[in-house]
Amino acid sequence: MPTDVPNRAKIEGRYNVLIVGAGYSGAQAAAALRQNQFPGSIAIIGEEPDYPYERPPLPKDYLSGEKAFEHILVRPPAFWSEKNIDLSLGQSVVHVDPKARRVRTREGATFGYGSLIWAAGGAPRRLSCAGGALRGVHSIRSRADVDRMMSELPDVRRVCIVGGGYIGLEAAAVLSKTGKAVTLLETAPRVLARVAGTSLSRFYEEEHRAHGVDVRLNISVERIEGRNGRASGVLVAGRHVVDCEMVIVGIGIDPAVGPLLRAGAQGVNGVDVDALCRTSLPSVYAIGDCAAHESQYADGQRIRLESVQNANDQAMTVAKVLTGTPIPYQAVPWFWSNQYDLRLQTVGLSSGHDLAVVRGEIPSRSFSIAYLKEGRIIAFDCVNATKDFVQGRKLVEARARVSPRLLADVGIALKDLRADIAA
Ligand SMILES: Cc1cc2nc3c(=O)[nH]c(=O)nc-3n(C[C@H](O)[C@H](O)[C@H](O)COP(=O)(O)OP(=O)(O)OC[C@H]3O[C@@H](n4cnc5c(N)ncnc54)[C@H](O)[C@@H]3O)c2cc1C
């Protein structure tokens, strides 16, 4: 445990609000409760030893060394005691008793609650193949993960990244910029296949290749080769070995909801919540990456979002509920990703689109893509095009019906297209 973090592991007792998970959503929920004048006792139990911090910088400016850890904290350390929020760090909740309204930690402490907010995020998926646990194989979920990687990097010349999602691509950008030889392996026929349209995937593949990253698609990993207990290469289908000294695995997370589901909460992919973030257990709420809600932006389907926007807005929702002013969660999803000098901002959810309209010239590296379904706008991906992101958001919220021809005309600002919205 870092010396500047008080060891509060001995704090036990009954809290009006007990939060499990000292990550972004847990921290924001506690802060929002105080902002909304919640007078009762609040404690946060967190598995990690650190004060709550933001994860987005981990594969970006924290990995590149441009941001120190104290600059990625959600709040300054003094905030928590000033707001009378108890932090119990380095403890993992393993059991929830919804009848007695108590939780127990692996370390043996018991905490009672009036209301429980489950904000435990998720654990990075590991490779199930042989060699997945060798030294030199890393995930990027926590500060500790990145610190471990950074301590090894001086001895690393070649990095193999498994997974072409946002985290893998961001790490590829930082590491290739620092001179490492980076190979990126993706099982799907394109990067970002789960979250973006084909044109955006192709654009990012080309950008990474232009920066020297060896992007390989349609490739599955058979095993990690090792030498003296350390990863030395990745064997891919076809019996070819990609030699490397470090492997980074970015293949998604498994929501951390085991204790809640064992206590009887409903959920398949994470834990199910309603529009007020209530689980099926009495007085138990769930927020952030681990919570599955029905989204109007996904045609009412139950989805889990892994984004700062969702973590923050669900934290606000639960704080409002617990201070007597419930407002159902309906926020439009948005996200960002920084790679090289490209700032991608997305709004809405593009999956299921039947038409993609490009605004601007993709080679200019400043453009946006509008996604439509049955004639209505459902999402925008904006690359170095913040104005479109800001203005497009309203069109997504309205599920506006806009002529594709007008949408493609960069001479017309998106805000002026509203006049062309047909009912
Ligand atoms: C590397 C990375 C880059 C990202 N980049 C972006 C980005 O650019 N833009 C964006 O919008 N989003 C990004 N995200 C997503 C965003 O950071 C998450 O959506 C957000 O952190 C979710 O907050 P959370 O509170 O749900 O989970 P987390 O922040 O993961 O916090 C959960 C906490 O709960 C703890 N915990 C788990 N189980 C237990 C237990 N049983 N007992 C006690 N504590 C427990 C965990 O250790 C963790 O500290 C990124 C995420 C990662 C990992």
Side-chain angles (χ1 to χ4, degrees):
M1 179 172 300
T3 48
D4 62 331
V5 177
N7 184 353
R8 312 296 293 273
K10 292 275 181 293
I11 298 169
E12 290 181 46
R14 178 163 288 274
Y15 288 86
N16 295 112
V17 174
L18 183 64
I19 300 173
V20 177
Y24 194 74
S25 66
Q28 291 296 76
L33 280 166
R34 289 297 185 232
Q35 249 161 30
N36 286 281
Q37 320 303 330
F38 182 75
S41 54
I42 305 175
I44 309 181
I45 306 176
E47 200 169 53
E48 294 180 69
D50 298 300
Y51 284 109
Y53 61 90
E54 297 183 11
R55 288 175 211 282
L58 293 178
K60 308 180 183 85
D61 359 21
Y62 186 68
L63 176 61
S64 69
E66 286 160 65
K67 254 190 190 164
F69 184 66
E70 54 270 29
H71 294 128
I72 66 170
L73 291 173
V74 176
R75 292 283 195 289
F79 174 87
W80 304 104
S81 49
E82 277 164 22
K83 296 291 175 191
N84 203 11
I85 296 166
D86 282 342
L87 293 182
S88 189
L89 301 172
Q91 297 220 56
S92 174
V93 170
V94 288
H95 182 74
V96 177
D97 181 343
K99 279 213 185 85
R101 297 200 179 197
R102 262 198 313 255
V103 306
R104 200 181 65 240
T105 68
R106 181 174 292 129
E107 294 70 22
T110 303
F111 297 76
Y113 62 82
S115 299
L116 180 69
I117 303 176
W118 193 267
R125 269 186 216 126
R126 314 268 167 198
L127 287 174
S128 55
C129 62
L134 284 168
R135 277 182 291 122
V137 179
H138 299 268
S139 312
I140 307 186
R141 181 74 194 175
S142 66
R143 174 215 190 164
D145 292 337
V146 180
D147 285 352
R148 257 192 310 274
M149 272 175 59
M150 287 167 86
S151 71
E152 292 178 17
L153 276 172
D155 299 321
V156 167
R157 197 166 56 82
R158 295 160 303 181
V159 180
C160 185
I161 298 178
V162 180
Y166 285 122
I167 292 175
L169 291 173
E170 288 178 350
V174 167
L175 294 173
S176 63
K177 259 170 71 179
T178 60
K180 307 295 178 197
V182 180
T183 303
L184 185 135
L185 307 176
E186 168 57 54
T187 328
R190 58 188 178 93
V191 301
L192 299 176
R194 223 169 34 89
V195 290
T198 308
S199 316
L200 196 80
S201 300
R202 296 292 175 237
F203 170 73
Y204 274 101
E205 287 158 14
E206 287 318 307
E207 278 293 328
H208 281 275
R209 286 184 176 128
H211 283 86
V213 177
D214 181 0
V215 179
R216 302 192 198 174
L217 307 169
N218 296 304
I219 284 242
S220 56
V221 170
E222 290 202 345
R223 69 165 182 265
I224 310 294
E225 303 276 337
R227 206 174 298 130
N228 303 325
R230 274 203 73 83
S232 62
V234 178
L235 179 73
V236 295
R239 311 179 72 83
H240 172 75
V241 177
V242 178
D243 292 319
C244 60
E245 294 80 40
M246 176 180 280
V247 179
I248 299 175
V249 181
I251 55 171
I253 62 165
D254 291 320
V257 290
L260 264 197
L261 298 190
R262 287 195 293 278
Q266 276 172 17
V268 180
N269 172 20
V271 62
D272 292 353
V273 294
D274 66 11
L276 297 178
C277 296
R278 295 177 296 200
T279 70
S280 58
L281 298 175
S283 303
V284 179
Y285 301 80
I287 57 177
D289 286 8
C290 67
H293 68 285
E294 287 174 5
S295 170
Q296 59 175 319
Y297 296 98
D299 291 333
Q301 285 180 60
R302 195 173 282 288
I303 56 168
R304 253 185 345 92
L305 291 172
E306 296 169 15
S307 70
V308 164
Q309 168 276 316
N310 178 67
N312 191 52
D313 288 334
Q314 289 192 328
M316 300 303 145
T317 300
V318 83
K320 288 273 181 201
V321 171
L322 294 175
T323 50
T325 50
I327 303 172
Y329 174 64
Q330 285 177 333
V332 61
W334 58 263
F335 189 84
W336 80 94
S337 172
N338 298 339
Q339 296 166 47
Y340 309 108
D341 57 345
L342 302 166
R343 183 163 177 80
L344 169 69
Q345 293 166 293
T346 79
V347 60
L349 301 173
S350 62
S351 63
H353 69 273
D354 50 34
L355 183 66
V357 177
V358 179
R359 274 174 65 79
E361 300 297 324
I362 292 181
S364 74
R365 305 171 85 244
S366 168
F367 63 92
S368 48
I369 302 176
Y371 297 95
L372 294 93
K373 186 175 179 186
E374 291 161 10
R376 296 184 180 275
I377 295 187
I378 57 168
F380 279 93
D381 287 338
C382 307
V383 175
N384 291 341
T386 297
K387 211 184 258 177
D388 276 3
F389 168 70
V390 173
Q391 297 179 4
R393 179 192 180 119
K394 293 197 174 61
L395 298 176
V396 174
E397 280 169 346
R399 278 183 87 90
R401 189 183 281 282
V402 178
S403 135
R405 189 182 52 79
L406 295 175
L407 206 46
D409 185 344
V410 281
I412 307 174
L414 289 179
K415 67 177 167 43
D416 298 328
L417 278 177
R418 271 177 291 163
D420 297 292
I421 296 173

